[in-house]
Amino acid sequence: MAGYTLKTEDGRLEALRRMLTVREFDTTAGEYFADGEIPGFVHLYIGEEAVGVGTCAALESDDYIASTHRGHGHCIAKGLDPKYMMAELFGKRDGYCNGKGGSMHIADVDAGMLGANGIVGAGPPLAAGTALSIDYQDRNQVALGFLGDGAVAQGQVHEAVNLASTWNLPAIFLIENNQYGEATPVEKQHNVDNLSDTAHAYDIPGVTVDGMDITAVAEAVEEARKRARNGDGPTFIEAETYRYRGHYEGDEQPYRDSEEIERWKDNDCIEIFKERLINRGELTEDEFEEMRIEVKETIQNAIQFAQDADLPAPEEAYEDMFAEPVPEIEQFAIQSRADGGTPGGDSR
């Protein structure tokens, strides 16, 4: 579970530790992918740590998130264990999805992580559906769907936002605008100044924040959560951030130059927050270095765990292909058909 907040000193230090953990996890994952030990593809979150960690710091531990193909940072921010994540990347049985999901499909529903997703723009529909479930069962939670700048033009994203807006669902939609949809600059993808302007079509708030500032992200998500829980519906948040690495590991990046990358690195989210905590008297340089060493040890232990874990047996490929129907969902569907809509007879 997430279980930390930027409103306390301990929470702020934990947020910094999680940002460091995300960066070390992905830096290490990139190295082992390059060495051929991690199969498939990896899409690294390096540079964007303030968005995932700031978001989860503003959520309650039992809230839900739906992720993207670049989901390692979201997992760690939500409280998933790096060793089981690394085992999943290595395709091992001890991974969160028994080694069958890999980098782009890590999930832990019990922790509120509905899954990373290789389908562009698939997070918002999952968040909208989860928000409907929360609303129907009158639970005090919200569901947040992450999406990238390239996903803003996806039809399923607009369907999800429209539905959530029309029904005032407790949902939040958060765009991680890292300036490129694969290799296409954001200004060549969309004809609006801010991607959050999309919210105007659905008569909901649209907010653009500095995604390199963890505090700005957390404050925007906290306000969106209050709105959602007050029954006022969803919010569309755009966090302007930047990925330091290519779209995927191995991307030669002919679409941008090193000077641009260095300009963004001068505004690094971890350095900004570290200096802020030092200035507040909550951290020293020595304590920061000690934290960094502890994080490195955690990730090296995760690597060792993944390397030592067993691969799934070939016959396990036929397991976990189908799920038993959830009784509450079956009853929901039966009642909906009987009512000609949804339970309660409303416009849903």
Side-chain angles (χ1 to χ4, degrees):
M1 297 295 181
Y4 58 101
T5 173
L6 299 190
K7 294 183 177 181
T8 68
E9 180 177 337
D10 287 347
R12 288 187 286 273
L13 291 171
E14 177 60 23
L16 179 61
R17 180 182 297 274
R18 296 217 183 186
M19 286 201 288
L20 281 172
T21 303
V22 173
R23 182 158 300 182
E24 185 65 21
F25 183 98
D26 266 6
T27 300
T28 305
E31 293 168 356
Y32 279 82
F33 173 80
D35 288 343
E37 289 199 51
I38 293 177
F41 277 106
V42 292
H43 302 77
L44 305 184
Y45 201 64
I46 299 170
E48 303 182 41
E49 295 88 352
V51 183
V53 177
T55 293
C56 291
L59 297 175
E60 296 295 327
S61 59
D62 61 348
D63 289 334
Y64 291 93
I65 63 170
S67 184
T68 69
H69 61 286
R70 200 178 307 281
H72 304 163
H74 303 153
C75 289
I76 292 170
K78 197 67 172 74
L80 273 64
D81 192 321
K83 71 180 183 181
Y84 300 122
M85 290 174 58
M86 199 65 80
E88 187 61 37
L89 266 64
F90 274 69
K92 299 299 184 69
R93 179 187 286 145
D94 289 334
Y96 273 106
C97 301
N98 306 119
K100 300 176 183 179
S103 169
M104 287 192 285
H105 300 95
I106 299 175
D108 184 3
V109 176
D110 291 339
M113 172 57 172
L114 299 177
N117 205 307
I119 301 173
V120 176
L126 289 173
T130 304
L132 175 59
S133 173
I134 291 168
D135 184 59
Y136 176 65
Q137 297 180 62
D138 196 26
R139 304 198 309 268
N140 187 31
Q141 297 163 287
V142 301
L144 182 144
F146 287 100
L147 63 152
D149 47 280
V152 175
Q154 284 285 338
Q156 63 183 337
V157 170
H158 292 271
E159 291 177 14
V161 177
N162 180 66
L163 203 68
S165 174
T166 302
W167 293 349
N168 287 326
L169 297 180
I172 303 168
F173 303 102
L174 197 148
I175 309 163
E176 294 182 304
N177 179 2
N178 62 22
Q179 313 305 312
Y180 291 93
E182 295 196 9
T184 306
V186 65
E187 62 270 15
K188 294 186 177 180
Q189 301 176 57
H190 308 285
N191 192 30
V192 291
D193 291 333
N194 295 308
L195 298 182
S196 61
D197 292 345
T198 307
H200 298 164
Y202 304 103
D203 196 26
I204 61 174
V207 181
T208 295
V209 299
D210 180 359
M212 306 302 276
D213 183 344
I214 187 174
T215 304
V217 174
E219 288 175 349
V221 174
E222 181 181 14
E223 183 62 32
R225 190 185 190 282
K226 287 179 183 177
R227 170 182 164 80
R229 288 311 317 153
N230 286 339
D232 296 325
T235 301
F236 216 48
I237 301 171
E238 174 191 10
E240 294 188 319
T241 183
Y242 197 77
R243 54 173 166 82
Y244 295 170
R245 305 288 271 265
H247 170 64
Y248 58 90
E249 280 302 279
D251 180 3
E252 296 183 357
Q253 307 180 64
Y255 47 86
R256 62 181 183 177
D257 56 45
S258 59
E259 288 79 9
E260 177 183 302
I261 299 172
E262 291 305 315
R263 285 197 302 273
W264 279 88
K265 286 185 176 181
D266 288 341
N267 193 38
D268 182 72
C269 61
I270 292 177
E271 288 298 317
I272 289 172
F273 195 49
K274 180 195 82 170
E275 291 301 321
R276 188 173 296 165
L277 296 187
I278 289 174
N279 290 337
R280 292 175 67 119
E282 297 176 354
L283 182 73
T284 66
E285 287 285 358
D286 287 344
E287 289 169 341
F288 178 73
E289 288 307 314
E290 182 179 343
M291 183 185 293
R292 190 195 296 275
I293 291 169
E294 291 171 353
V295 165
K296 284 181 177 291
E297 183 177 347
T298 296
I299 300 306
Q300 286 307 308
N301 289 339
I303 287 289
Q304 191 64 55
F305 178 83
Q307 290 175 326
D308 292 344
D310 293 328
L311 289 165
E315 58 269 21
E316 292 179 44
Y318 296 99
E319 297 177 2
D320 305 316
M321 296 180 68
F322 302 97
E324 292 296 324
V326 178
E328 291 83 358
I329 295 177
E330 284 192 304
Q331 184 58 41
F332 182 94
I334 292 169
Q335 188 66 46
S336 177
R337 288 193 293 270
D339 291 345
T342 58
D346 61 21
S347 61
R348 302 176 196 171

